[in-house]
Amino acid sequence: MADLAGLAQTVDDAARQASAIPQLTESAPLTPEQSYRIQALSVGRRLARGERRVGVKMGLTSRAKMIQVGVSEVIWGRLTDGMRIADGGTLERTRFVHPRIEPEVAFLLRRPLSGELSPVEALAAVEAVAPAMEVIDSRYRDFKFSLADVVADNCSSAAFVIGPWAAPSSDIANLGMLLEVDGRVVQVGSSAAILGHPLRSLVAAARLSGQAGEALDAGWIVLAGGATAAHPLAAGMSVRTVMQALGSVALRVA
Ligand code: 0L1
Ligand code: MG
């Protein structure tokens, strides 16, 4: 039987030491249940070190990314306060293996959410929405992985930054957005790329984390998923996402 706790330590150590590892499934196959268990155990190690759970991230939420990985279902990971960077703050390049950044829409929940919901029901639990960016950093060599590997690795989540919160009455169905590096546009996208509407990602978050026995909690953040391809980060870069109607969010890479 697979040593899930040992595999969780392997991915957690790789993240802490910013050192790339071979894919876990090179040694033995993993079921989806085992992959999510490894993820939970690995994030549990962060919590045991004093980090606090602050939400979930949704992954593979665009058709392009699903096709790339050959799946038709979104995946989800766990966010902790240790992964959060202040808006306009600094990310230390040396703490990551091969980080990339992607623009996202973030939800802040005013009350718990779980199970099968309509988008309207999900929206009723939203306190605010914001422009955001996720830093993804696969702990696997060459950023290459199977679906089971990436789930075990907390869906590549490494850091995130949230911009100004706005009332949930903002229409977020089709917001244009630009990802800029040093003032130059490197990606252009729309929030419609996130499952057709970011609220669908929130609905999926409630369903999937409910199935795992973890209701989304009041005060949690839900990162709805990348709206463009992710852009590689290098030291010295200033990165900003500008989102129609919601404003901008930025960080610097030191
Ligand atoms: O946030 C994401 O959509 C990334 C999910 C994992 C796949 C990747 O690392 O590109
Ligand atoms: Mg993402």
Side-chain angles (χ1 to χ4, degrees), residues 171-191:
D171 181 0
I172 56 166
N174 186 13
L175 299 178
M177 62 186 82
L178 305 175
L179 178 65
E180 299 173 350
V181 172
D182 299 330
R184 189 173 56 87
V185 175
V186 294
Q187 292 287 340
V188 178
S190 158
S191 60

Side-chain angles (χ1 to χ4, degrees), residues 159-173:
F160 65 96
V161 52
I162 309 276
W165 292 109
S169 52
S170 320
D171 181 0
I172 56 166

Side-chain angles (χ1 to χ4, degrees), residues 42-220:
S42 155
V43 175
R45 295 173 61 87
R46 286 174 166 266
L47 303 183
R49 291 195 292 271
E51 293 183 34
R52 193 169 52 84
R53 182 74 188 279
V54 296
V56 307
K57 66 136 306 167
M58 299 304 289
L60 305 181
T61 50
S62 70
R63 293 303 309 163
K65 276 201 173 184
M66 280 185 192
I67 290 164
Q68 192 179 25
V69 182
V71 297
S72 55
E73 175 61 293
V74 297
I75 55 176
W76 66 283
R78 294 161 165 97
L79 300 176
T80 72
D81 61 346
M83 298 162 71
R84 186 163 182 176
I85 297 169
D87 188 11
T90 301
L91 175 138
E92 299 289 336
R93 169 65 187 86
T94 52
R95 288 184 44 232
F96 302 89
V97 185
H98 33 211
R100 301 175 182 175
I101 197 160
E102 55 191 19
E104 304 222 1
V105 172
F107 294 102
L108 177 65
L109 298 184
R110 75 167 93 222
R111 58 171 200 252
L113 265 186
S114 180
E116 299 289 339
L117 302 164
S118 69
V120 172
E121 287 168 325
L123 181 61
V126 173
E127 173 78 26
V129 294
M133 295 188 288
E134 184 186 24
V135 176
I136 54 173
D137 185 34
S138 174
R139 270 52 70 156
Y140 301 115
R141 266 198 307 252
D142 304 324
F143 227 109
K144 291 215 166 68
F145 42 73
S146 68
L147 187 63
D149 288 307
V150 73
V151 166
D153 184 28
N154 204 17
C155 300
S156 302
S157 202
F160 65 96
V161 52
I162 309 276
W165 292 109
S169 52
S170 320
D171 181 0
I172 56 166
N174 186 13
L175 299 178
M177 62 186 82
L178 305 175
L179 178 65
E180 299 173 350
V181 172
D182 299 330
R184 189 173 56 87
V185 175
V186 294
Q187 292 287 340
V188 178
S190 158
S191 60
I194 305 167
L195 295 179
H197 193 306
L199 268 180
R200 292 206 184 113
S201 184
L202 180 58
V203 167
R207 176 170 50 81
L208 294 173
S209 92
Q211 281 168 5
E214 293 182 13
L216 303 177
D217 217 347
W220 275 15

Side-chain angles (χ1 to χ4, degrees), residues 234-249:
M237 285 179 170
S238 288
V239 185
R240 184 167 82 127
T241 285
V242 185
M243 203 170 291
Q244 190 183 352
L246 292 185
S248 64
V249 55

